[in-house]
Amino acid sequence: MLARETEAQKRAPALLSGVIGLDSLLDGFGGRRVIEITGNRQSGKTALALNIILQHLSKFKNGRVVWADTTGDFSVEQAAQILTTFDSEATLTALERLQISLVFDIEAAYSLLEELRSPPSVSTDPPLSCIVFDAITPLLGPLLSAASAHGHSIMTEFMRQLRIFSQSQSCPIIIINNTSLSIPNSNSASAPRKPALGPSFQFMTDATLWLSKPDDETAMLDHERGYTIRSAEVLRSRNTAAPKPPTLFKISQGKVFD
């Protein structure tokens, strides 16, 4: 069984950020997996996911990605700017192969999955390489309530469907999750935070990557450097045998690099 799963993972699209330290944490972001990227505000969650899929689209001219935008904040201009840093023939058609879908509720999310399960309308359409949900929190958060388990059941079933889709379509799925306060009702801006959607959510994905800002001293130098420094660490992974130490990466004008 393990051998079959390993072989299946190899057949799934390869997704890399282009940053060696980041890519080594989870052995890349491809495979038949649902990967959660979470972390504090402005820690680079969307930037990392965007760089991963643009790296893929710029290297593979038959790649196709669906970006499920749950807030209406996706910036085509930002994506186009990042693509100017890549030098390949496939870059010229990358944005044509990036489908932006507005998904504002759970019903729309299910409709999108059903649409993507259907055979391509045109036989020449490239295969689906990845789906990104940015972010999953607005879809599932409003459903959760301490007074009822119904919302949790909806969340559990939806995440189960994502894993089924990833496995059956050999398509990695990246979900961006926001954070909540570790100490409820804390008013401090420096109060510790944790992944949103409850402690059970991390067990509904195949891996969880936590992004964070560096200490205050390092952050003060960001403006002088012209880039920001962020840290990434694996909170949980089904597929990596041993935990790996956190790694640092940089972001400048949306571009992620060493």
Side-chain angles (χ1 to χ4, degrees):
M1 169 110 30
L2 181 59
R4 288 199 302 270
E5 176 61 22
T6 301
E7 184 60 30
Q9 294 283 3
K10 290 180 180 178
R11 290 198 302 269
L15 293 174
L16 300 171
S17 69
V19 178
I20 295 175
L22 281 173
D23 295 331
S24 67
L25 289 176
L26 294 171
D27 298 324
F29 296 86
R32 305 192 306 169
R33 297 182 290 177
V34 177
I35 297 176
E36 173 191 12
I37 299 177
T38 185
N40 293 325
R41 296 186 184 99
Q42 299 181 335
S43 58
K45 301 184 292 293
T46 296
L48 175 56
L50 185 57
N51 275 261
I52 291 169
I53 60 106
L54 292 180
Q55 279 272 0
H56 178 80
L57 292 173
S58 67
K59 288 185 177 180
F60 301 96
K61 61 183 179 180
N62 65 337
R64 180 168 64 98
V65 173
V66 172
W67 188 285
D69 183 1
T70 67
T71 61
D73 292 332
F74 183 85
S75 172
V76 176
E77 293 77 13
Q78 179 79 81
Q81 180 178 346
I82 295 172
L83 282 170
T84 62
T85 65
F86 301 127
D87 184 19
S88 69
E89 183 180 349
T91 301
L92 300 176
T93 61
L95 288 181
E96 298 174 14
R97 292 175 283 113
L98 174 57
Q99 174 186 331
I100 312 301
S101 297
L102 294 176
V103 178
F104 294 138
D105 54 45
I106 197 70
E107 290 78 14
Y110 272 115
S111 295
L112 176 63
L113 290 180
E114 189 60 32
E115 172 190 332
L116 295 175
R117 281 193 183 98
S118 304
S121 56
V122 181
S123 59
T124 57
D125 283 351
L128 185 60
S129 302
C130 179
I131 304 174
V132 178
F133 280 88
D134 184 19
I136 199 76
T137 328
L139 293 182
L140 302 177
L143 303 174
L144 302 179
S145 168
S148 171
H150 180 62
H152 189 273
S153 297
I154 295 175
M155 178 175 73
T156 301
E157 177 58 22
F158 180 69
M159 295 305 298
R160 188 178 77 87
Q161 289 299 324
L162 288 187
R163 293 199 69 212
I164 290 174
F165 185 97
S166 178
Q167 294 282 325
S168 63
Q169 304 293 320
S170 292
C171 174
I173 298 177
I174 297 173
I175 59 173
I176 296 173
N177 188 15
N178 298 331
T179 59
S180 59
L181 289 169
S182 297
I183 304 174
N185 303 319
S186 174
N187 295 322
S188 172
S190 60
R193 304 185 69 86
K194 61 184 179 181
L197 303 177
S200 65
F201 184 76
Q202 65 175 313
F203 297 101
M204 301 179 191
T205 64
D206 294 292
T208 298
L209 190 67
W210 174 266
L211 306 186
S212 59
K213 299 179 182 180
D215 56 58
D216 292 340
E217 181 178 351
T218 304
M220 289 175 62
L221 297 174
D222 283 347
H223 181 70
E224 297 178 17
R225 296 187 179 112
Y227 56 78
T228 58
I229 297 177
R230 296 293 182 259
S231 174
E233 65 178 304
V234 177
L235 296 187
R236 176 182 172 275
S237 175
R238 298 175 189 262
N239 305 102
T240 51
K244 299 178 181 179
T247 189
L248 297 178
F249 64 100
K250 303 168 186 172
I251 306 175
S252 177
Q253 298 182 331
K255 172 73 173 179
V256 170
F257 57 101
D258 287 295

